[in-house]
Amino acid sequence: MLIAAAFLFLVIFVRFFYIQVISGAELRYKAIDQWTREIPVVAERGKILDRNGAILAGNITSYTVFARPNAVKDKQHTAHVLSEIFSLDEGELYEDLVSAKVSELTVVRRADAALAEELAAYDLPGVYYARDNTRTYPYGELLCQVLGFTSTDNEGLTGLEKYYDKYLAGMDGEILYDTDLVGVEIEGGNAAYLPATDGLNVALTVDKDIQIIAEEAMADAYLTYSPVSAQCIVLDPSNFEILAMVNYPGYDLNDVPREDTDLLNSLTRNRLISDIYEPGSTFKIVTAAANIEEYLQGNASAFSLSKIFNSSRTRTVDGTTIRCWSNHANGKHSNQTLAEALNNSCNPCFVDIALSLGKQTFYDYLEAFGFGKNTGIDFSGESQGMLIPESAVRDCDLARIGFGQSLAVSALQLACAGAAAVNGGYYYQPRLVESISDGGNIEEGFSPVLMNRTVSEEASRTLASLLEGVVANGSGSKAYIEGYKVGGKTGTAQKYENGAIASGKYVSSFLGFFPADDPKYLALVIVDEPQGAYYGSVVAAPYAKRIFEGIIEVRGIAPYE
Amino acid sequence: MPSEAKNIAASEKTRSVRRLLGGQIAIPVLVVALSAFGVLMVYSASFYAAETVCGDKFYFMKKQLVGFIIGIGAMAAASLFPYRKLLKLKWPALIISLVLLAAVFIPGVGRESYGATRWIGLGPITIQPSEIAKYGFVIFAAAYASENPERMKKFVGMLPVLAAGGGICLLVILEPNMSITMCIGLLMVAMLFLSGVKIKHFLVILIPVVAAVPVLIAIEPYRLKRLYAFIDPWQSPQGEGYQLIQSLYALGNGGWLGVGLFNSRQKYRFLPFAESDFILSVIGEEFGFVGILLLFAAAGALIWFGIRTAARSRDLFGFLVASGITLVYAIQVVVNALVVSGSIPPTGLPLPLISSGNTSLIFTMAAMGVLYNISKSAKRAPARAGGFAEKRRAGAP
């Protein structure tokens, strides 16, 4: 009996030693979870600012109210008070409190601070409120597709809200406090406060004032020509900072049409980055740049600036006939130099250049100007465009690419290519975000990233002056501003639908920049399927002019002497 | 006073102290110490739940304190009551036990709780007859066997003891109360063994008892579930495994030295029956492994003194009663510790002298008084003279 008892006691000691001393830490760790309940401390989401510090996306402090039915003492009274303050259905709330199906009930989300204060005065046991944030966009529709919006849990869903979510989101904290089994706070229990880390502010390269000007211009274009959309991108060619991006029509960021998925997808799409189109004549900037550079480098197959192009309306390549958009009658488009070919936007001249430079040389330039690949902008969903691979391209394709057909580009790609053609020949990575800061200190600053050279300074200056001529004397005349050196090129492309030309459907565009001798602003205006008129010179160029005039006004740019 | 005389006086003094200890004064001392600690721990383990549920955080503690005071009186009385007189109470002890156990099934008298009817309610007082029956059986079995030791060697002769034990077991299992049944079954087997029953007769009862266990488990599906829960409690942490996991959390949280008196987290309604069947978990949490070690040192000492008392008792009756009382205590302590530590399937059994529950406390203390009374009339210096047990073992017929 003694031995048996001693043995049993030994077994018991070993067992308790194993549980308490060896497994103790592990068991305690598991148990901590059930000993505490937490109240979230929501981190304040970082603000999105424009380049001058204007708040484009901010927060309003709100309060989320929870109830833990088990910890609610007087359920009738609690239901009454809560329903009075937050205008809820008292009966329903009472039911929820009594049935206690869940250990925690969200009474109301994002309530006004004033209401939360009212609630605090009652000091109801079992009712908790936690600070929350409601995302707010002071300018409503402004820059909507770029900014994007957040979910009800303040998680970035689209646009920059999504792309920079990890910086903006911050880290939620919590208040942990000791409770009993059913969640009643223990008197004298510990409360641990894990503070939230607020999100970082993201400052954009976008200039709110220029954005407003551009949006107003696009709204007007939309009203005037009833297109599918009116888009425009404004960037600084000297560093590829995006100054404005408009996809009209947009939507109110404070009232996102979340229910209508199709509508939402269409309105939230940043077409300038995600959609591609056949650029047409604006692409001649690239062809001309390639020719000038090759000519300066002594390539004999390039055309000199004084070379007179064949005046014929047609070119026959690989047995197919390519026509100019103009009928060349009555001396139109005859005896043109490169400058005049650009002024008139004469297609055959650019066919000649592309074919003369040849596949290999021309594709080198397409590569340098960033076609067929991502620009690397800090935005999701960028399209690479469509470019026939060099190995598969036929002469008839090459001829058409020379004047902007048989390839598709994103507006961003074309704007960047245009900028890299006239800014001295520098292709930078385009950017929407200038810096990320915690309010005071810059955590991360972004400086221009030079990707590659496109053409030489000299070729670039020459091209810019030719394009200045297009606005002064040619098809871009509707973008002309007295006293300012505006350069540019129009574009009118027919749209394809199911592989065939869709009659009456055009994309009218204009790519302009100023000052032509040292470009600081470049705007690409695209009017998709305008009604009434369709030439880029008529439909798009005036809006580029409007935007430039606006910029001149808000930035106080003096006319040249 | 000459130094020699002083030495003699001193050694006289030591001897008298030794004599007092020889009378196993340690038994009541340990019992009072353990029970007082029990009152404290019942308060610590229950104050939160008591305040939440009953609105009085002293609810369980007050009850336990009443039991403690009555228990001290009962123990004092029992220790003064010549234990030989218990011989005459053989039949009353058995009959009272059986009647009380049967009374549980009388509607209006029996009190149900958690699906089992284990209590008799008399106004504000509730009595748990199975706690009384254990000792009733000890007295009956000891008296019956010691009246005529020879008849225990015959199969027919031991049958009344078997019938008494079986009857009590049957009534207890009907409550139902599996754990107490098993304890009484174990007690019965041990008592029969100690009364000198022959091994072959012994097996006749032992085999059916062992065989009955799986049947009893299979009858009630909840027992099977408990068995699974014991094998892997983490399978159903919110279901059958809950209680054991909560007990393990409490013990684990205690670690080496515990979180300190009153600081248990698990008693905040996480641990069911924290003040009764699982009070050891709370003790383990508040005082750690070291606390458990000390508590079991005290319990072990009490058992040790019980065994010594039995070994030194003057007669067979004293030997059997002392053994029985010690067994009742030891079995419960060991089973409770094994349950709380998840070493055997969970079953509801209080930790005697500590757990909340007045019937158990009062009768255990009273029984300890009897034990002390036996020890007082025990032979001294057992090593030389030898107690009753040594004589028996030495081959006395």
Side-chain angles (χ1 to χ4, degrees), chain B residues 63-255:
Chain B
K63 278 178 75 170
Q64 191 73 358
L65 197 61
V66 169
F68 175 65
I69 291 162
I70 297 174
I72 285 180
M75 182 166 70
S79 60
L80 296 172
F81 183 79
Y83 74 91
R84 298 277 316 162
K85 289 188 179 167
L86 286 172
L87 256 173
K88 291 174 191 138
L89 295 176
K90 161 177 83 163
W91 290 109
L94 180 65
I95 289 161
I96 288 169
S97 295
L98 290 170
V99 166
L100 286 176
L101 281 172
V104 162
F105 301 104
I106 299 169
V109 176
R111 289 275 171 90
E112 193 181 320
S113 174
Y114 297 101
T117 317
R118 297 170 181 176
W119 294 268
I120 297 172
L122 297 170
I125 304 160
T126 53
I127 295 170
Q128 192 175 358
S130 56
E131 293 294 336
I132 299 170
K134 286 186 284 201
Y135 297 109
F137 174 74
V138 167
I139 291 170
F140 175 80
Y144 181 84
S146 57
E147 273 167 7
N148 184 356
E150 287 309 309
R151 64 182 172 195
M152 293 310 283
K153 296 202 167 92
K154 299 189 187 89
F155 185 73
V156 182
M158 73 162 192
L159 277 182
V161 177
L162 203 57
I168 290 170
C169 280
L170 185 71
L171 287 167
V172 175
I173 197 75
L174 287 174
E175 288 179 352
N177 192 338
M178 178 76 169
S179 37
I180 301 271
T181 307
M182 301 230 303
C183 285
I184 295 174
L186 263 174
L187 176 70
M188 180 175 77
V189 169
M191 289 297 283
L192 285 169
F193 176 74
L194 292 171
S195 4
V197 170
K198 286 198 166 154
I199 295 294
K200 62 179 176 185
H201 298 156
F202 201 63
L203 287 178
V204 171
I205 52 157
L206 203 57
I207 289 166
V209 166
V210 171
V213 171
V215 176
L216 289 175
I217 288 172
I219 286 171
E220 293 279 3
Y222 80 90
R223 293 185 183 128
L224 206 62
K225 275 194 193 162
R226 281 200 187 171
L227 205 61
Y228 288 138
F230 157 68
I231 292 162
D232 186 6
W234 307 100
Q235 281 273 332
S236 55
Q238 290 303 320
E240 292 298 322
Y242 179 79
Q243 201 172 27
L244 178 51
I245 288 175
Q246 295 307 325
S247 176
L248 294 179
Y249 280 167
L251 295 176
N253 191 37

Side-chain angles (χ1 to χ4, degrees), chain A residues 378-395:
Chain A
D378 44 353
F379 200 87
S380 301
E382 193 186 349
S383 171
Q384 296 187 336
M386 278 161 64
L387 182 62
I388 302 166
E390 193 180 338
S391 56
V393 76
R394 298 167 299 170
D395 279 349

Side-chain angles (χ1 to χ4, degrees), chain A residues 242-431:
Chain A
I242 308 288
L243 297 170
M245 262 190 174
V246 185
N247 294 267
Y248 199 90
Y251 60 100
D252 185 353
L253 286 167
N254 295 315
D255 185 19
V256 179
R258 292 177 203 262
E259 292 75 32
D260 188 339
T261 317
D262 288 342
L263 181 69
L264 188 67
N265 281 340
S266 144
L267 292 181
T268 59
R269 194 170 169 82
N270 189 350
R271 297 166 189 271
L272 293 161
I273 291 177
S274 305
D275 283 7
I276 55 172
Y277 74 113
E278 200 181 55
S281 300
T282 47
F283 193 78
K284 288 168 183 165
I285 294 168
V286 174
T287 311
N291 178 69
I292 295 166
E293 176 64 21
E294 284 301 303
Y295 175 74
L296 290 176
Q297 284 184 13
N299 183 341
S301 50
F303 296 78
S304 84
L305 290 186
S306 51
K307 153 89 183 175
I308 305 292
F309 286 91
N310 182 334
S311 300
S312 167
R313 187 196 175 191
T314 59
R315 297 289 189 272
T316 302
V317 188
D318 288 345
T320 63
T321 302
I322 298 168
R323 286 188 177 78
C324 186
W325 59 273
S326 162
N327 59 16
H328 285 218
N330 305 323
K332 281 189 278 186
H333 295 202
S334 60
N335 303 326
Q336 303 165 103
T337 59
L338 181 60
E340 286 157 336
L342 280 168
N343 287 355
N344 297 331
S345 199
C346 180
N347 292 348
C349 307
F350 293 90
V351 170
D352 291 349
I353 292 170
L355 291 174
S356 182
L357 292 178
K359 199 164 30 173
Q360 202 180 337
T361 307
F362 195 58
Y363 262 74
D364 286 347
Y365 283 94
L366 295 181
E367 162 84 19
F369 279 104
F371 294 104
K373 59 186 180 189
N374 286 336
T375 62
I377 192 169
D378 44 353
F379 200 87
S380 301
E382 193 186 349
S383 171
Q384 296 187 336
M386 278 161 64
L387 182 62
I388 302 166
E390 193 180 338
S391 56
V393 76
R394 298 167 299 170
D395 279 349
C396 59
D397 300 322
L398 192 65
R400 286 200 158 87
I401 294 170
F403 60 96
Q405 290 185 359
S406 294
L407 89 164
V409 302
S410 71
L412 178 68
Q413 277 180 322
L414 190 71
C416 290
V422 300
N423 71 353
Y426 301 89
Y427 198 108
Y428 297 99
Q429 186 176 331
R431 289 180 297 125

Side-chain angles (χ1 to χ4, degrees), chain A residues 19-32:
Chain A
I19 294 168
Q20 299 202 268
V21 179
I22 296 176
S23 315
E26 187 194 328
L27 286 165
R28 202 174 306 125
Y29 181 78
K30 281 182 179 165
I32 283 172

Side-chain angles (χ1 to χ4, degrees), chain B residues 227-294:
Chain B
L227 205 61
Y228 288 138
F230 157 68
I231 292 162
D232 186 6
W234 307 100
Q235 281 273 332
S236 55
Q238 290 303 320
E240 292 298 322
Y242 179 79
Q243 201 172 27
L244 178 51
I245 288 175
Q246 295 307 325
S247 176
L248 294 179
Y249 280 167
L251 295 176
N253 191 37
W256 268 112
L257 293 170
V259 294
L261 182 63
F262 303 135
N263 293 337
S264 158
R265 277 299 275 116
Q266 283 293 89
K267 72 184 170 203
Y268 286 90
R269 305 180 69 187
F270 297 105
L271 179 66
F273 304 108
E275 80 288 348
S276 57
D277 297 349
F278 281 83
I279 198 163
L280 191 57
S281 312
V282 177
I283 296 171
E285 186 177 3
E286 297 193 342
F287 297 102
F289 177 66
V290 171
I292 292 281
L293 220 55
L294 290 174

Side-chain angles (χ1 to χ4, degrees), chain A residues 15 20 34-35 180 186, chain B residues 48 246 265-266 269 284 341:
Chain A
R15 184 71 193 154
Q20 299 202 268
Q34 75 176 15
W35 292 337
D180 73 359
I186 292 174
Chain B
Y48 183 78
Q246 295 307 325
R265 277 299 275 116
Q266 283 293 89
R269 305 180 69 187
S341 60

Side-chain angles (χ1 to χ4, degrees), chain A residues 88-120:
Chain A
L88 303 167
D89 183 341
E90 185 178 335
E92 206 175 301
L93 187 60
Y94 179 72
E95 272 304 303
D96 287 342
L97 287 175
V98 171
S99 69
K101 268 177 266 173
V102 286
S103 67
E104 186 178 290
L105 194 72
T106 304
V107 177
V108 63
R109 291 199 65 143
R110 309 253 161 85
D112 283 357
L115 295 180
E117 247 169 65
E118 210 178 306
L119 172 68

Side-chain angles (χ1 to χ4, degrees), chain A residues 188-202:
Chain A
N190 292 316
Y193 177 66
L194 306 170
T197 311
D198 289 343
L200 299 172
N201 293 340
V202 170

